[in-house]
Amino acid sequence: MEFLRWYGAMLRSLLPSSLRAMFGGSASGLIVSADLTAPPACAVVAQRSRGGTRTLGTLGALAADLSPSLRRGVTLVVTAPGRLVLSRMVTLPLAAERHLATVLTFEMDRLTPFAAGEVWYRTDIINRRKAAGSIALRLAVLPRAKLLPLLDALAQADLHPGRIEAQDAAGIITLPLDPGAPPARRIEAALAALCAILALVCLLIPLSRQQIELHRLATREKALVPRLHAAETLRGRLDRARNGAATLAAEQAREGDALAALAAITTAVPDGSFLTDLTLRHRIATLDGESPNAAGLVAAFSANPAFADPSFAAPVTRALNAKADIVSIRVRVRRHEAP
């Protein structure tokens, strides 16, 4: 910011004095031009605006006729036959920049022949030497005693200038009449701060809306988490059931339907015969049991379309009670056959 101010001051210094007076930062308002060698009543009052400067008359003739709106933003332009503004280059520690006004208040009598309360002053930072830990600035001072009669006359006319424009060795220089910023500059600073705040708000609004939307979506997501877990659980169950059914169907296609085979075997075994053991593997059923007619049992399986290739798996023996034969029959269960 200080660099921009310095750069702007350097650009203004290249303009003619008339243009510097118009565009050098002075606000629109009254200009009181006074020669310190002449009586204060002879000071010329003019009105400055964007269109130029219009002379209204002398201070003695116009003091009672000025409207209250014109009395705001008064700039005092003074001239003197000799050198009025004293200026010099000053080098201070870099840490003094934060409290420059306080430092100059205590150092004014050392830097100039006057005390801080005897002058109006202005400082312009020329250079910062961070390596050396110092700053170079231009200090311009204007003794108050030379302007007290003129300021008293202006106060009686209810005119209170906020700044003084005086001729310096480098040209026209503007000095505030108080250590702080002049009222117009305070308003400009407040407006600049307001604009910066509004710009910051404009930048933060999209981010705030985005955060609000993200919070809303996060809340909805949190509310949907139990449903999501329930859906995932049901999906897992369905997948397991589907996989189990597919596995069972594959095994049934390869091994056959055990229940259908058992039903067909039960139907095929004639009355009076019974099974003591049944083994089914790869569609081959091995039947162990007793039958009063072993050959008829094989014939019964041969006549049943659900079976194929019935044969004795072991020799037929007689039971101890001599009423039945102990048989072991191997038979192939046909594919996709039901009882």
Side-chain angles (χ1 to χ4, degrees), residues 261-272:
L262 181 60
I265 291 172
T266 303
T267 304
V269 175
D271 295 338

Side-chain angles (χ1 to χ4, degrees), residues 136-159:
L137 52 89
R138 179 173 175 266
L139 175 64
V141 297
L142 176 64
R144 295 173 180 258
K146 296 183 179 181
L147 276 76
L148 288 180
L150 179 59
L151 293 177
D152 291 339
L154 292 175
Q156 293 176 2
D158 198 18
L159 295 177

Side-chain angles (χ1 to χ4, degrees), residues 85-88 120-124 138-142 168 173 175:
V85 178
L86 304 178
S87 62
R88 61 165 296 183
W120 291 292
Y121 65 90
R122 170 177 173 169
T123 57
D124 295 298
R138 179 173 175 266
L139 175 64
V141 297
L142 176 64
D168 188 18
I173 185 171
L175 294 92

Side-chain angles (χ1 to χ4, degrees), residues 207-251:
L207 298 178
S208 301
R209 294 181 62 182
Q210 182 180 15
Q211 291 300 321
I212 293 173
E213 185 66 17
L214 290 176
H215 178 71
R216 185 181 67 83
L217 294 177
T219 303
R220 290 187 59 186
E221 180 183 2
K222 186 177 180 181
L224 292 176
V225 165
R227 299 182 182 180
L228 178 62
H229 289 170
E232 291 178 349
T233 302
L234 292 176
R235 182 179 297 174
R237 292 179 181 177
L238 291 175
D239 291 340
R240 288 192 295 272
R242 188 181 300 109
N243 294 334
T247 302
L248 181 59
E251 289 298 321

Side-chain angles (χ1 to χ4, degrees), residues 10-36:
M10 294 298 100
L11 291 179
R12 286 195 298 270
S13 65
L14 300 177
L15 298 175
S17 58
S18 59
L19 292 179
R20 284 202 304 270
M22 183 178 300
F23 301 106
S26 300
S28 300
L30 291 181
I31 302 175
V32 179
S33 302
D35 188 349
L36 297 183

